[in-house]
Amino acid sequence: MKKIGIYPGCCFQGADIHNYDITTDFLNRMGVEGILLDRAACCGGGVIDETNKKIVYGLNARNIALAEEKGVDLYTPCNTCYMIIAKTKLALDSDPGLKEKINEILAEEGLEYKGTAKIYHTLNLIRDFIGMDTYKSKIQRKFEGVKVAPYYGCHVLTPNEVALDDPENPTVLQEILKPLGVEVVEGYQNEQTCCGYHARFTDPEQKERLAVKPLEGAKEAGADVVATPCPLCHKAMDGYEEPILQVTQLINVACGATPKDAFWDLNKTEVKISFS
Amino acid sequence: MKKIKYTAKIKRYNPETKESYWQDFEVEVEDSLTVLELLMHIKDKIDASLTFRAFCRSAICGSCAMIINGRAGLACKIQAKDKIKNGVIKIEPLHHLPVVKDLVVDQEPAFEKFKKVKPYLVPDPKVVPDNNKVESLVLPEEFARYDKQTDCILCMACYGQCNALEGDEKYLGPFQLTKVFRFIMDTRDGMDVEERIKLAEDHGIWECVQCQMCLAACPKGVKPGDDILELRRIAKDIGEENIATRRAKFWFATVFETGQIDKWHLPEVAFGDEKGKAVTKKLEEEFRSRGMKEDEFGPKPFPGIEKFRNFIKKLEKEL
């Protein structure tokens, strides 16, 4: 059985604790053993930078080192964790001096950043780690006739150096949605507009103004539901007129879980779609 | 030279009829053309009315920023053949600025905002000599603090793709905020940091959504999004008290304590008022209704947390 290190970001905590169950259920159904990186720490969330940006490199070198210690790659479903951890990997792999300094400090915890672990997010995990054929073979039922609007969220496509697909013409999410039997709604208004999540505690009104925009675009294009890989986008955009789910919540149901097992019932905006 | 065939899909705007539409131009051209050369070819051979702004052709004057396949960049710096997707290259004017004609935008609104942040050096009389016979020295390590930021060519690619502007058209903009950071870092600048930060706060740093689009857009590798985080840090360090700085302090403190941000108490602490308390209370009710026990509400330190705290302290000190 393939193994992957599950990085526990803040999206697995408190009111979002069900995201951990969604993630482990998803991995089980894909035939992947998830190994929790239990001493992992916050990626910084783009907020620790406001205290000291150098700490962010150290935190994530340590997070990656924890995966390497267990001999596994690192997987996070969160767009922001993915972007920040992938950025750290790029910085360390291209700067031997920085890597050496951080490794000196890491050594006190018995850890070492080697640079061997790959960084995965749900989208490239399915495409590159699980493989599209295996993924498709696990699907047991389909959402026939359901119109789904893919919403990538920013941090899997920007900045360019960590983008996990062509940022100008991304297709991986559509390719993951199609085998679920859905009708993919593409090219809707504001499909690339940010959900505003990261302004929630800097300027809450800004978040409110942004979150609704892609949803309105998807609704206008006739989508029954929006599908995002990112738990933060989901959190920011749930509660408006148009429903949104995480793509893993759709996949789990397509692979046999009940909607309740996939926590559809926790949505503020009810998802009313049928499956065969 | 190899010739290739493709479609240039260009967003046009006719100011006389106020009509905006996409027009397809079928081209067969050398594969070595930049997007700007492609536009020049179309203007020269197909439609002389096609209008765009360009000058140096060398990615330094900053005139030809536009949106190519949904991403902002300089037309003169980008190879057209790299941008052909399914036989099509899509070109449109920068967002968030009024279109004058076709691909030409009116840059004035962005420059007005630029002027608001006082994008110039206010010489500090304690540092800058009062006569021009003596040089005003800046040491290399002092210049390094804002060297990259001086590479900005005011092309407005970042502005034309900014998500914060999508939410608030009064938002200052990425390059404007980078400039504020650049002058705060300049050892010769005499304006109070408090004053510069104040200028950056009005429809500014707290509205940024950290989407990273400006980092992707900049043809010079400037990172306005990162500079905005630095401005927030400076605002916090000079004692600014608001929802964002309370959130940043709490975030770091709880990560230091437990390894994770405490999202349970975050609303209460960040909002710092009854409303925030109510949000935290509501979270507690939600946890209980889902059968969670109180020790599951927030993060708990993982085994070996002392070593982790030492690690953070060392990073702060030694990195």
Side-chain angles (χ1 to χ4, degrees), chain B residues 116-117 171-173 176-181 184 193-207 228 231-232 235:
Chain B
K116 270 194 194 170
V117 301
Y171 179 65
L172 280 170
Q176 292 86 341
L177 293 167
T178 275
K179 197 61 83 176
V180 177
F181 177 72
I184 287 178
V193 174
E194 285 80 358
E195 198 184 337
R196 289 228 179 259
I197 288 290
K198 216 155 207 60
L199 294 170
E201 285 186 310
D202 187 18
H203 295 275
I205 51 176
W206 311 114
E207 282 190 1
I228 290 165
L231 289 171
R232 289 178 176 180

Side-chain angles (χ1 to χ4, degrees), chain A residues 8-11 13-18 38-42 44-55 58-59 62 83 87 98 101-102 105-106 108-109 154-155 157-160 166-169 190 192-194 196-204 206 209-210 213 235 266, chain B residues 68-71 82-83 85-86 163-168 206-213 215-216 226 229-230 232-233 236 243-244 247-248 251-252 255 259-264 266-267 270-271 283 286-287 290 292 296-299 302-304 307-308 311-312 314-316 318-319:
Chain A
C10 64
C11 58
Q13 187 211 113
D16 308 315
I17 202 157
H18 54 284
D38 48 5
R39 278 150 58 218
C42 171
V47 183
I48 299 278
D49 304 65
E50 293 171 27
T51 295
N52 183 338
K53 66 181 171 191
K54 288 175 181 169
I55 291 175
L59 275 174
R62 184 179 169 279
M83 183 271 289
K87 259 188 180 178
L98 179 68
K101 262 195 218 161
I102 289 180
I105 310 175
L106 271 176
E108 293 180 26
E109 242 187 301
C154 300
H155 294 156
L157 299 174
T158 48
N160 295 339
D166 177 355
E168 289 164 17
N169 189 31
N190 291 319
Q192 285 190 27
T193 299
C194 174
Y197 178 87
H198 292 287
R200 256 179 2 134
F201 290 105
T202 60
D203 188 330
Q206 173 76 324
R209 288 190 294 261
L210 284 165
K213 292 200 169 205
K235 198 178 168 77
L266 291 182
Chain B
I68 301 154
N69 289 349
R71 290 293 185 117
D82 297 342
K83 297 285 161 177
K85 312 275 157 134
N86 304 318
N163 268 301
L165 278 157
E166 202 72 54
D168 176 15
W206 311 114
E207 282 190 1
C208 168
V209 287
Q210 283 297 309
C211 66
Q212 312 281 304
M213 275 296 185
L215 281 76
D226 288 2
L229 292 180
E230 285 295 288
R232 289 178 176 180
R233 177 186 59 74
K236 176 173 68 64
I243 174 173
R247 136 197 160 283
W251 200 293
F252 179 71
V255 169
Q260 274 296 347
I261 163 68
D262 174 0
K263 294 212 295 192
W264 166 24
L266 178 63
F271 282 101
L283 275 175
E286 195 189 323
F287 297 152
R290 283 162 64 177
M292 288 164 68
E296 294 174 310
F297 290 6
F302 48 74
K307 280 184 181 170
F308 171 76
F311 173 70
I312 299 290
K314 282 220 152 162
L315 286 173
E316 273 189 297
E318 292 173 26
L319 212 60

Side-chain angles (χ1 to χ4, degrees), chain B residues 4-193:
Chain B
I4 45 174
K5 264 181 161 174
Y6 53 94
T7 305
K9 195 178 185 64
I10 300 176
K11 188 142 189 208
R12 306 209 50 186
Y13 174 71
N14 181 336
E16 277 149 32
T17 61
K18 307 232 185 298
E19 197 189 356
S20 175
Y21 57 98
W22 288 93
Q23 186 174 358
D24 288 356
F25 295 95
E26 308 301 329
V27 295
E28 186 173 1
V29 289
E30 285 83 35
D31 67 354
S32 60
L33 261 51
T34 63
V35 173
L36 177 57
E37 286 165 336
L38 167 67
L39 293 171
M40 284 160 37
H41 169 86
I42 295 169
K43 189 174 177 70
D44 194 28
K45 305 284 187 199
I46 307 174
D47 185 346
S49 74
L50 180 68
T51 307
F52 48 90
R53 188 189 275 127
F55 184 64
C56 78
R57 307 179 198 193
S58 310
I60 196 64
C61 77
S63 303
C64 65
M66 51 190 74
I67 309 265
I68 301 154
N69 289 349
R71 290 293 185 117
L74 294 179
C76 71
K77 201 189 170 207
I78 294 166
Q79 284 291 311
K81 74 167 187 300
D82 297 342
K83 297 285 161 177
I84 304 165
K85 312 275 157 134
N86 304 318
V88 180
I89 170 168
K90 259 175 84 177
I91 306 168
E92 56 191 303
L94 291 179
H95 303 156
H96 313 308
L97 289 165
V99 180
V100 178
K101 189 173 186 227
D102 296 340
L103 301 171
V104 177
V105 292
D106 178 8
Q107 298 178 320
E108 222 32 61
F111 276 129
E112 283 307 317
K113 291 176 182 174
F114 193 49
K115 286 178 202 160
K116 270 194 194 170
V117 301
K118 302 190 179 170
Y120 44 80
L121 188 91
V122 178
D124 181 351
K126 295 196 289 290
V127 181
V128 181
D130 60 359
N131 63 79
N132 56 15
K133 295 206 171 61
V134 189
E135 266 189 290
S136 183
L137 281 179
V138 178
L139 299 171
E141 57 270 30
E142 290 170 344
F143 184 59
R145 303 196 300 170
Y146 58 92
D147 184 356
K148 192 69 218 170
Q149 286 77 5
T150 66
D151 290 349
C152 173
I153 56 173
L154 305 179
C155 71
M156 304 198 180
C158 59
Y159 189 92
Q161 189 137 56
C162 174
N163 268 301
L165 278 157
E166 202 72 54
D168 176 15
E169 59 181 23
K170 288 185 181 159
Y171 179 65
L172 280 170
F175 74 85
Q176 292 86 341
L177 293 167
T178 275
K179 197 61 83 176
V180 177
F181 177 72
R182 178 245 172 279
F183 283 111
I184 287 178
M185 286 294 113
D186 195 319
T187 46
R188 301 162 301 170
D189 191 54
M191 201 195 291
D192 286 341
V193 174

Side-chain angles (χ1 to χ4, degrees), chain A residues 10-273:
Chain A
C10 64
C11 58
F12 288 163
Q13 187 211 113
D16 308 315
I17 202 157
H18 54 284
N19 286 327
Y20 180 64
D21 297 325
I22 292 170
T23 301
T24 49
D25 189 28
F26 160 68
L27 289 176
N28 284 337
R29 288 176 189 280
M30 290 299 129
V32 176
E33 186 188 343
I35 295 171
L36 181 67
L37 306 174
D38 48 5
R39 278 150 58 218
C42 171
C43 73
V47 183
I48 299 278
D49 304 65
E50 293 171 27
T51 295
N52 183 338
K53 66 181 171 191
K54 288 175 181 169
I55 291 175
V56 179
Y57 284 143
L59 275 174
N60 292 304
R62 184 179 169 279
N63 288 332
I64 300 169
L66 286 167
E68 291 178 348
E69 187 189 38
K70 291 187 153 80
V72 289
D73 293 327
L74 184 150
Y75 163 51
T76 171
C78 171
N79 282 25
T80 298
C81 294
Y82 166 78
M83 183 271 289
I84 294 175
I85 297 172
K87 259 188 180 178
T88 296
K89 180 168 171 61
L90 276 178
L92 292 172
D93 291 350
S94 61
D95 185 345
L98 179 68
K99 183 174 154 182
E100 199 188 317
K101 262 195 218 161
I102 289 180
N103 269 334
E104 274 172 30
I105 310 175
L106 271 176
E108 293 180 26
E109 242 187 301
L111 290 168
E112 184 191 359
Y113 173 86
K114 300 187 196 81
T116 50
K118 292 197 182 83
I119 313 303
Y120 286 106
H121 170 271
T122 307
L123 299 181
N124 60 348
L125 190 86
I126 294 174
R127 184 188 61 198
D128 305 333
F129 187 85
I130 295 163
M132 287 306 282
D133 289 340
T134 305
Y135 164 66
K136 285 177 195 167
S137 75
K138 306 288 182 190
I139 294 164
Q140 299 166 14
R141 52 189 187 195
K142 306 218 167 186
F143 303 98
E144 294 296 352
V146 174
K147 291 181 180 166
V148 180
Y151 180 76
Y152 280 85
C154 300
H155 294 156
V156 286
L157 299 174
T158 48
N160 295 339
E161 57 272 26
V162 300
L164 51 72
D165 198 2
D166 177 355
E168 289 164 17
N169 189 31
T171 54
V172 58
L173 181 52
Q174 294 92 307
E175 292 309 312
I176 287 168
L177 288 171
K178 279 177 199 160
L180 306 178
V182 305
E183 192 183 316
V184 178
V185 177
E186 288 185 84
Y188 61 91
Q189 195 72 30
N190 291 319
E191 64 180 340
Q192 285 190 27
T193 299
C194 174
C195 72
Y197 178 87
H198 292 287
R200 256 179 2 134
F201 290 105
T202 60
D203 188 330
E205 286 169 20
Q206 173 76 324
K207 182 257 149 192
E208 291 303 321
R209 288 190 294 261
L210 284 165
V212 72
K213 292 200 169 205
L215 294 167
E216 284 174 349
K219 187 176 157 46
E220 208 177 286
D224 299 308
V225 64
V226 175
T228 181
C230 178
L232 302 185
C233 295
H234 180 216
K235 198 178 168 77
M237 291 163 74
D238 178 29
Y240 299 89
E241 209 181 325
E242 177 79 358
I244 181 167
L245 281 176
Q246 292 173 52
V247 67
T248 40
Q249 291 181 283
L250 283 171
I251 293 169
N252 288 357
V253 171
C255 292
T258 65
K260 196 171 166 47
D261 288 340
F263 299 96
W264 289 20
D265 61 319
L266 291 182
N267 249 38
K268 291 194 187 102
T269 303
E270 196 185 342
V271 184
K272 291 180 205 155
I273 57 173

